[in-house]
Amino acid sequence: MKLLFVLSLVAVACHAANAEERRSFPADFLFGCATAAYQVEGAWDEDGKGENIWDHMTHNRPTTIKDLSTGDIAADSYHNYKRDVEIMRELGLDAYRFSLSWSRILPTGFANEVNPKGIEYYNNFIDEMLKYGITPMITLYHWDLPQKLQELGGFVNPLIANWFEDYARVAYENFGDRVKHWITFNEPREICYEGYGGDRKAPMVNSTAVGTYLCAKNLVLSHANAYHAYNNDFKPTQGGQCGITISVNWFGPLTDSEEDQFAAEIRRQGEWGLYAEPIFSAEGGFPKEFTERVAAKSAEQGFPRSRLPTFTDEERAWVRGASDFFGVNHYTTFLVSATEHLDVAPVPSVIDDEGVGVYRPPEWPVSQSSWLVRAPNSIYNALTDLQKRYNNPAFYITENGWSIAPERDLIDDDRVAYYRAALESVLDSLDAGVNLKGYMAWSLLDNFEWLEGYTERFGLYNVDFEDPARTRTARKSAYVYKHIIKNRYIDHEYEPETLTMTIDEGH
Ligand code: PNW
């Protein structure tokens, strides 16, 4: 009797452990990988493509890139797209997120002249994916503005909202019969803060006082124009969805003090609230406390008006609610303090306007990228905050990933640990009721990592950049991700038997 009781206790405990281990991803959850045109395509001036701001910067200011490299050839996906679809099939992906090169489709940026070869390339690529049941997810803009439009001011010229809408319509017209997932912009913060408010991205305008803020307003208006164009003129016949991807890293308070909690909130508003709030909040417009802070700082600094522009009532209404889903790029966590670790920043600037400090405990594992560390519950903290703040819209994680050094071999156990932890955090978020529809790993394959060139590798597949064929080889993380996608749960014990990749039945 006693033995039976003990046995049944053991059985209950095992069952609980199994249930814990076997938490599953929903059958219709989309697992994919992501890339961006400039980072993978190459063929920078082939078949009528126009120059963009990354072509321009890497060619004219080569020393801005750490290893003096360019994206001229990159992973050469322009010529290797069939092999790229093959590796999607090896992984068993449900979806693939990639971006269109604006200047490959419209060489001058304007929609009067469409490049048929550019349209043909993306048609072939999309058709190849669909042949194998892989859902294409298109980002319209992943940082590669046509150079001609930059010469007219780029994202600080309000007319960008018209130019972007015209470009978006060309894309919907040509690909919308087959593509049902549209993302207008990738990471407004990186476009505006790093490209216009700083010099970490092209076009390196470095207008610290106002660059970020002018860009932020014009960018959300551009997004809204492209969203309404789709919603009014294409959705009724094509039936897809249109959203935006914002980089939402988690910013938690360093201590429980009220000052640190407020500091973390200000940081969140300055980093991603500037772009999320106008679209996803009930009131619309820029975030309240951050707006007050920039107004106060601007007045102190002798500006007759706030450096942060406002929206007219009409603009506010046009932007508010203009998205079918919230795309989240999530990588890491920062702990925020009101008084410690204060950033050194130019005055005036976004960082000075925020006026807080950030910290990461030394025990959090570090990647090859200075900003990227592995923090506990990172995705869960970010998604559950957004869920409450914006009334649980549909979410996709459109990027999440880990970098290693180029000289590393194919056994990327630190990346495996990162993905397993991240996907556990995804399951925690689903358990908490977050309306999360899918997850895209960054990245399918190694690529041009912006100012870091080829010195940081994010790929599930290694790319040999010395080899003219740009041979792709699966890393250990590719086998682990494949196993998770296939089984819909995370097996922490799984080890690939051999590193020989094959395509499974059905793909
Ligand atoms: C993303 N941060 O950028 C981009 O969308 C990709 O093009 C890029 O290759 C990838 O992440 C890896 O860097 C980010 O500072 C840049 O937290 C900076 C941050 C996050 C994402």
Side-chain angles (χ1 to χ4, degrees), residues 35-36 39 97 142-143 186-187 189-190 194 201 245 247-249 251 271 329-332 334 360 369 371-372 398-403 442-443 447-450 452 456 458:
T35 60
Q39 294 180 275
R97 171 178 178 247
H142 200 126
W143 308 356
N186 179 69
E187 298 191 347
R189 172 194 173 271
E190 278 61 32
E194 299 198 325
K201 294 282 176 328
T245 280
S247 51
V248 181
N249 285 318
F251 298 92
E271 295 290 301
N329 284 358
H330 180 93
Y331 285 88
T332 194
F334 297 82
R360 275 89 88 70
S369 313
W371 53 273
L372 175 53
T398 42
E399 281 180 32
N400 179 243
W402 185 256
S403 61
W442 183 272
S443 181
N447 55 57
F448 178 81
E449 178 57 17
W450 310 112
E452 317 307 327
E456 298 178 5
F458 278 88

Side-chain angles (χ1 to χ4, degrees), residues 411-482:
I411 310 300
D412 51 350
D413 283 318
D414 49 338
R415 178 178 286 124
V416 168
Y418 179 89
Y419 275 118
R420 283 181 172 151
L423 287 166
E424 286 291 350
S425 204
V426 164
L427 287 170
D428 293 340
S429 309
L430 289 169
D431 283 348
V434 174
N435 186 15
L436 180 63
K437 308 282 193 193
Y439 173 95
M440 309 290 134
W442 183 272
S443 181
L444 179 68
L445 72 186
D446 288 344
N447 55 57
F448 178 81
E449 178 57 17
W450 310 112
L451 293 196
E452 317 307 327
Y454 300 99
T455 67
E456 298 178 5
R457 304 294 177 87
F458 278 88
L460 294 171
Y461 277 67
N462 174 77
V463 174
D464 182 355
F465 292 101
E466 304 295 316
D467 173 1
R470 296 296 189 272
T471 304
R472 287 107 161 95
T473 313
R475 291 197 169 97
K476 183 174 172 184
S477 53
Y479 295 83
V480 171
Y481 192 45
K482 173 179 181 156

